[in-house]
């Protein structure tokens, strides 16, 4: 715990057997109270390794998608009493060693969400991000900062943390089960005036690290633009916001 806040790390996993141990070993276990892994019908030994590491493991019998995996993870974290939830991909692409910094930002009272940005500094290209993905990231982020009237260095990192107030407030079940889930969630968090901070994070691209292909990247990019346009039209009062906050 930090500041009497229960800290949970969620690991949305799919075929992460080769990298799960390394990811787990670098998590700062002295501050983390709970680790939850949801396996999205992996074809390797992800579940077996998770059990060996004594990680609380939830199994999807069929592959439901990246967004659906997160929904399961977040629900489990809240059900198990988490106050701060950090999503870390178990493919070892992002550094678990930055968890402490992200948690400290969230318990400070200054931020409701925090992202670990691959773009701040020179970590993305140095870590092996394909040039076309880097260019697409910069272009989409530029457009989003205009349409969302916000300023982030990127919107597409998979390493992010939230307070339970955000997760309990946003209607996560209405979001996509696919990769666009992250972007929909961020747009809605901004729409509802939650405060988002960011830190710089080195990244590693290698064979075992998960990455979507060019076709899926194109579909994701179009989904990002659609989400951002819907946000702006909603702010202008031209369309209704389909994803209102949950009422508690």
């Amino acid at each position: 715990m930090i500041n009497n806040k229960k800290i949970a790390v969620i690991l949305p996993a799919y075929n992460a057997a080769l990298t799960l141990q390394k990811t787990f070993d670098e998590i700062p276990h002295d501050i983390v109270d709970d680790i939850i892994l949801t396996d999205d019908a992996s074809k390797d030994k992800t579940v077996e390794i998770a059990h060996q590491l004594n990680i609380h493991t939830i199994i999807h019998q069929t592959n439901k998608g990246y967004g659906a995996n997160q929904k399961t993870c977040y629900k489990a974290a809240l059900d198990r009493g988490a106050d701060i939830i950090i999503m870390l991909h178990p493919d070892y692409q992002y550094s678990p060693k930055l968890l402490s910094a992200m948690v400290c930002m969230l318990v400070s009272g200054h931020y409701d969400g925090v992202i670990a940005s691959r773009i701040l500094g020179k970590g993305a290209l140095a870590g092996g991000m394909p040039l076309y993905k880097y260019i697409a990231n910069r272009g989409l982020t530029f457009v989003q900062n205009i349409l969302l009237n916000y300023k982030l260095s990127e919107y597409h990192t998979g390493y992010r943390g939230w307070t339970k107030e955000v997760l309990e407030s946003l209607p996560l079940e209405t979001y996509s089960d696919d990769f666009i889930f992250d972007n929909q969630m961020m747009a809605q968090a901004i729409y509802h005036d939650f405060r988002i901070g960011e830190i710089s994070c080195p990244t590693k691209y290698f064979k075992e690290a998960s990455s979507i292909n060019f076709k899926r990247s194109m579909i994701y990019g179009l989904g990002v633009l659609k989400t951002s346009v819907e946000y702006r039209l909603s702010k202008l009062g031209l369309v209704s916001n389909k994803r209102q906050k949950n009422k508690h």
Side-chain angles (χ1 to χ4, degrees), residues 170-200:
L170 297 181
L172 303 184
E173 290 299 324
T174 68
Y175 303 161
S176 171
D177 286 341
D178 209 343
F179 289 103
I180 197 63
F181 173 94
D182 274 344
N183 217 258
Q184 291 174 336
M185 185 177 178
M186 181 62 71
Q188 285 295 301
I190 292 172
Y191 184 94
H192 294 296
D193 298 322
F194 288 115
R195 302 158 298 173
I196 313 299
E198 54 185 335
I199 64 171
S200 179

Side-chain angles (χ1 to χ4, degrees), residues 16-82:
L18 295 177
T19 53
L20 177 55
Q21 177 78 60
K22 290 189 291 186
T23 302
F24 179 85
D25 288 346
E26 291 189 10
I27 291 174
H29 296 278
D30 56 326
I31 68 165
V32 172
D33 303 287
D34 198 10
I35 301 177
I36 300 164
L37 180 146
T38 298
D39 181 77
D40 203 26
S42 293
K43 297 177 176 64
D44 61 9
K45 295 184 178 181
T46 297
V47 171
E48 180 180 327
I49 295 171
H51 286 155
Q52 291 172 1
L53 295 172
N54 200 30
I55 296 172
H56 180 75
T57 304
I58 302 167
I59 301 171
H60 286 174
Q61 296 300 326
T62 59
N63 186 272
K64 297 183 178 182
Y66 174 63
N69 192 315
Q70 284 192 67
K71 293 174 186 179
T72 300
C73 283
Y74 285 132
K75 183 180 185 304
L78 292 175
D79 288 346
R80 290 164 64 87

Side-chain angles (χ1 to χ4, degrees), residues 10 13 47 52 85 88-89 94 99 105 115 128 135 140 143 146 169 172 176 194 208 216 225 232:
I10 61 168
V47 171
Q52 291 172 1
I85 299 93
L88 171 65
H89 289 184
Y94 303 96
L99 265 160
M105 290 179 68
I115 64 170
I135 293 172
L140 287 172
V143 172
I146 293 174
S169 181
L172 303 184
S176 171
F194 288 115
E208 291 80 16
R216 296 294 297 277
L225 294 175
R232 178 47 46 199

Side-chain angles (χ1 to χ4, degrees), residues 120-132:
L120 287 174
K122 297 183 179 180
L125 290 175
M129 178 184 281
L131 183 60
Y132 83 88

Side-chain angles (χ1 to χ4, degrees), residues 168-172 174-175 188 191-192 234 239-247:
E168 289 176 341
S169 181
L170 297 181
L172 303 184
T174 68
Y175 303 161
Q188 285 295 301
Y191 184 94
H192 294 296
S234 181
V239 298
S240 62
N241 181 10
K242 299 177 182 178
R243 302 183 178 93
Q244 297 291 340
K245 292 195 293 185
N246 287 326
K247 295 180 180 180

